[in-house]
Amino acid sequence: MGKELQVIQRFSQEDNSASIIVRELEALTMAAMYRDNPNSGLVSKFSMTPQEYGDKNYKVIKSILHFCAEKSGMRMPTDSTGMAMCFGNKMFETLFNSIIVETLSGIMVKTQPSQIMAMADIHNVAVGDTYTYDIETKALPVMQRTSYNTNVTLLDTNVRQSVTIVPKPWTAGVTMDYIRILANDYDMGKEIARINMSMLVAQYKLIVGIIFDSTPINNTPFYNATWSPEKYVKLAQYLQVFNGTPGVKAYGTLPAFNALSMLATKGYGFVSQDTIIKDGYVGRIYGVDSVMIEQATSYSKPLTTANVDDQLIVPDDRIVLLSDVGDKPVKLVRENYVRVIQDDQLSTSQTRLQYSFFNSFDAGLATQANYAIQGVTGA
C-alpha cells in the first residue's frame, strides 16, 4: 500500500543552499529534455555541451547528497552501504524528495511548449483551484429600417457563457535504485526529464484530442470532411470574417499536409510537384500558410507494424485552421504542485524504490469560432 511522502514544498525559498541546488537541477533537467527530445516541440531549447552536462550532473548529485546528509545529521554517502543508511533516514529521504518535487513543479510552470502554445492557452493554478473562462458574444445590435412605433430587436450587451476547467490528477510511476546514484554513469537530469516529459506528452495528447475532434463543430461551416478548393477557401474566409483578421494558418503533420498538397496541386504543373517532392508539402495553399507540427508518442508500448499508428498522438487525416487573433481554442489548466507517493519496495530488490508522482491538469474547449478543421481526403 503506497504512502504519501512528507515533502517540504518550496523550502528552497527559505534556504539559499537548497535554492541553488534546485536551480541547478532544473537547468540540468531542461538540458536533458532538449537533448533527448530536440524535435518534439514540447521543450524549449536549452543546450549544453556533453562536457558541461557531465560536469553539472556530477556536481548536482554530490550537492544533493551532501545537503541532505548534512541536514539530517548523516555522513556524506560514498558507497552503497552509506546510501542504504541515508535512505533509511526519514529526514534524508524527505529532503531528497523535496528537491525532486520542487524541481518538477518549477519546470512544469516554466515550460511553455511551442506545440501546445500554438493551439492552447496555459494557466497554472494553486492546489485545488479551478479556472473559469468567459466567452462573450460577438454579435452587434441589429440595425433595422424602422419608425418610432416599430418593435426593435434588442441585444443584451453583456451576454457571456462561462467554461470552468477543473484540474484532474494524473500519475507517472517510476522506480529508483538508490545505490545507482553513486555510479559514474547515473544521469540525474535524464531521470527527472522522463517524468516531466510524460506529463507534457499527456497534456499535449489532451489538447490534440480536443482540437482535432470534429464533433463540436460538425454540421457547422467550420468543418470540411473532404477536400475541395472552394470549400477550403471559404473555410479560411469564415475564420477571417468572424475574427476580424486576415491572418489564418493551418496546422498539421507532414503526412496530413502531404496528402492535402497532393490534392491541392492535382492537375497543376511541375513546379508544384517539385515542391512536394523537395519539402514533402506545399508551404502555402490557397493563401493559407501551412505550419507543420511534430508528431508525438508516449513510447508506452513497443512499436509494431500493427500498432504504430495507434500510438501516434496527432491525427494524420486532418488539419486545423486557426485565427491569428483571439484566445486559443483550447485551455489547459494545471496545478503548480506535484505530489509523490512511495509504494512498497520491489520484492526483487531491497534498494529499488517505487515512486508515483502526481500532477493535476485538464483541458477544455472555450472559443469564439477561432478554429476550423479540414479533412485531407478527396471528395
Side-chain angles (χ1 to χ4, degrees):
M1 183 67 181
K3 60 178 180 179
E4 184 163 0
L5 294 179
Q6 295 296 319
V7 295
I8 309 170
Q9 288 281 355
R10 299 175 182 170
F11 77 110
S12 68
Q13 296 177 6
E14 308 297 331
D15 190 297
N16 186 58
S17 296
S19 177
I20 294 173
I21 292 173
V22 170
R23 288 201 304 269
E24 290 294 294
L25 188 54
E26 283 182 358
L28 185 73
T29 303
M30 293 176 76
M33 290 169 66
Y34 181 73
R35 178 196 63 193
D36 298 337
N37 307 274
N39 299 317
S40 67
L42 297 178
V43 297
S44 302
K45 184 175 182 180
F46 200 109
S47 57
M48 293 182 186
T49 66
Q51 181 65 47
E52 290 172 337
Y53 186 89
D55 290 344
K56 187 177 286 292
N57 183 60
Y58 176 82
K59 291 177 181 177
V60 166
I61 291 175
K62 294 300 181 183
S63 297
I64 293 174
L65 295 179
H66 180 269
F67 175 84
C68 295
E70 183 180 52
K71 294 291 185 181
S72 56
M74 305 286 290
R75 289 184 178 181
M76 168 75 175
T78 58
D79 55 23
S80 58
T81 301
M83 289 295 291
M85 292 174 63
C86 283
F87 274 88
N89 182 285
K90 293 302 179 184
M91 178 57 72
F92 182 97
E93 189 177 28
T94 294
L95 292 172
F96 183 88
N97 286 297
S98 296
I99 291 172
I100 302 302
V101 165
E102 188 163 344
T103 300
L104 289 169
S105 299
I107 293 174
M108 187 55 61
V109 171
K110 294 175 182 177
T111 303
Q112 303 289 330
S114 59
Q115 295 274 91
I116 291 179
M117 295 300 291
M119 298 175 283
D121 290 322
I122 300 176
H123 287 274
N124 299 301
V125 298
V127 179
D129 283 355
T130 62
Y131 202 95
T132 299
Y133 299 86
D134 288 330
I135 305 175
E136 190 171 3
T137 180
K138 292 185 176 183
L140 299 175
V142 179
M143 290 300 296
Q144 303 169 246
R145 185 169 178 81
T146 183
S147 67
Y148 287 115
N149 295 323
T150 303
N151 290 329
V152 176
T153 301
L154 301 178
L155 173 71
D156 190 338
T157 57
N158 189 28
V159 176
R160 295 188 178 189
Q161 291 182 328
S162 297
V163 176
T164 299
I165 298 177
V166 182
K168 298 177 178 61
W170 292 72
T171 310
V174 298
T175 65
M176 180 187 70
D177 190 347
Y178 55 74
I179 63 173
R180 285 274 306 133
I181 296 176
L182 291 175
N184 291 330
D185 62 346
Y186 187 81
D187 191 337
M188 178 72 80
K190 183 175 184 177
E191 296 303 319
I192 301 177
R194 284 174 172 167
I195 302 171
N196 267 111
M197 283 302 300
S198 70
M199 294 178 181
L200 288 173
V201 169
Q203 293 170 13
Y204 187 47
K205 188 174 182 178
L206 266 180
I207 292 167
V208 167
I210 292 172
I211 198 168
F212 278 86
D213 181 12
S214 62
T215 303
I217 56 175
N218 199 12
N219 297 319
T220 75
F222 298 99
Y223 174 58
N224 289 333
T226 57
W227 164 262
S228 82
E230 297 81 7
K231 289 182 178 180
Y232 189 67
V233 172
K234 280 285 189 181
L235 205 61
Q237 184 187 57
Y238 294 150
L239 288 175
Q240 292 169 351
V241 170
F242 287 105
N243 292 285
T245 175
V248 175
K249 290 184 175 65
Y251 295 81
T253 63
L254 177 59
F257 276 124
N258 176 265
L260 191 68
S261 299
M262 295 295 291
L263 291 170
T265 59
K266 187 177 181 179
Y268 285 83
F270 292 109
V271 175
S272 298
Q273 296 176 17
D274 288 345
T275 299
I276 297 175
I277 293 173
K278 179 183 176 182
D279 300 327
Y281 68 105
V282 177
R284 188 173 174 84
I285 300 176
Y286 288 99
V288 179
D289 289 332
S290 305
V291 181
M292 191 178 71
I293 58 177
E294 299 296 338
Q295 187 58 267
T297 180
S298 63
Y299 305 100
S300 58
K301 298 178 182 177
L303 294 179
T304 66
T305 303
N307 73 5
V308 61
D309 287 336
D310 293 335
Q311 294 195 54
L312 301 181
I313 291 177
V314 187
D316 289 328
D317 62 348
R318 65 196 66 182
I319 63 171
V320 170
L321 282 73
L322 294 175
S323 167
D324 283 348
V325 302
D327 294 341
K328 299 297 190 300
V330 181
K331 315 300 181 187
L332 173 67
V333 179
R334 58 192 186 189
E335 287 186 358
N336 58 0
Y337 190 91
V338 176
R339 294 178 176 86
V340 58
I341 286 180
Q342 180 181 325
D343 299 320
D344 295 333
Q345 287 178 299
L346 295 174
S347 59
T348 55
S349 174
Q350 292 295 318
T351 61
R352 185 175 292 276
L353 302 177
Q354 299 182 82
Y355 293 101
S356 296
F357 293 91
F358 292 80
N359 183 232
S360 294
F361 53 84
D362 201 7
L365 190 65
T367 182
Q368 295 175 307
N370 288 338
Y371 81 111
I373 294 176
Q374 170 67 57
V376 297
T377 57

